[in-house]
Amino acid sequence: QVRLVESGGGLVQPGGSSILSCAASGNILSVNWMGGYRQTPGKPRELVAKITGGEVTTYADFVKGRFSISTFNIDNRVFLQMNSLKPEDTAVYLCATTCTRAGVRGDYWGQGTQVTVSS
C-alpha cells in the first residue's frame, strides 16, 4: 500500500510563511506527479499545486507568485513553500499522488494537515 505522510501546517499570521512536506512510501516504482489539494467546509476540494516526475509544475491561479512546489525525486518527497499567506488560505491541505506500484498505477491521498491563517 502507498502511504503519504504530511508534515507542517498549523497557525500562521497573515503575510507569514509556512512549509508543508509530504513523503510517499510503499515500494513505489515511479511517480507521475505529487502535489497538494486543499479543502474547506462547504467547498469542493481544489488543486493547489503539483509537480510531475519531470519537475513540471502546475499552480492554481490563487497561489501563483506566492506558493512554490519542489521535489526530491530520489525519495518521493515534495515540499510546498507558502508565502504571503492570507486568511482565505485557511484549509486542510492534502497531499496526493498518482504513482505506479507493483505494475499498477493508482491515485493516493494523505490524511491532510490543517493550515490556519489568522492573527
Side-chain angles (χ1 to χ4, degrees), residues 6-22 35-39 47-49 59 62-70 78-95 113-117:
E6 299 137 326
S7 61
L11 178 64
V12 186
Q13 290 194 338
S17 297
S18 185
I19 186 165
L20 304 179
S21 66
C22 174
Y37 282 69
R38 70 186 190 186
Q39 188 155 32
L47 175 70
V48 175
Y59 294 95
F62 53 77
V63 302
K64 283 181 180 177
R66 300 189 297 125
F67 290 14
S68 177
I69 191 166
S70 58
V78 293
F79 300 90
L80 182 66
Q81 175 69 49
M82 306 184 294
N83 298 323
S84 302
L85 283 161
K86 306 174 182 179
E88 51 263 43
D89 292 319
T90 296
V92 174
Y93 285 72
L94 301 106
C95 182
T113 186
Q114 177 71 43
V115 175
T116 301
V117 184

Side-chain angles (χ1 to χ4, degrees), residues 1-2 26-32 97-108:
Q1 183 64 283
V2 173
N27 295 318
I28 295 169
L29 180 62
S30 64
V31 173
N32 294 79
T97 186
T98 295
C99 62
T100 299
R101 175 183 179 274
V104 178
R105 180 183 296 181
D107 300 326
Y108 300 90

